[in-house]
Amino acid sequence: MALTVTQTDFRPNFKSYMDKVTEEQETIYIPRPRQKGGALISQDRLDWLESMLKLNLEL
C-alpha cells in the first residue's frame, strides 16, 4: 500500500519514512505544489523493477 505525504511532513520524518520503505516495502509519494512530485522506493524494489524492464526489452 502506498503512502502520500506532504513535503512539510516528509522532511522532519525522513528516517521513519525510510524505515517504512526499506523494512515494510512501502512506496512513499511526495507531491509538490505546481511542480512534479517524487516517489521513494527501496533499493530492492528498484532493482526488481529494472530487472523486469530489462527482461521485457529482451523479449
Side-chain angles (χ1 to χ4, degrees), residues 39-54:
L40 184 65
I41 61 173
S42 69
Q43 183 68 53
D44 289 342
R45 182 165 292 174
L46 179 60
D47 292 344
W48 180 84
L49 287 168
E50 288 177 339
S51 69
M52 292 297 107
L53 179 61
K54 184 179 178 183

Side-chain angles (χ1 to χ4, degrees), residues 13-49:
N13 298 299
F14 178 78
K15 184 189 178 317
S16 66
Y17 287 124
M18 284 295 291
D19 291 344
K20 283 188 179 297
V21 165
T22 57
E23 295 168 11
E24 300 172 26
Q25 292 299 309
E26 198 69 74
T27 299
I28 310 286
Y29 293 102
I30 309 144
R32 298 168 57 197
R34 297 175 298 282
Q35 297 179 33
K36 291 182 179 180
L40 184 65
I41 61 173
S42 69
Q43 183 68 53
D44 289 342
R45 182 165 292 174
L46 179 60
D47 292 344
W48 180 84
L49 287 168

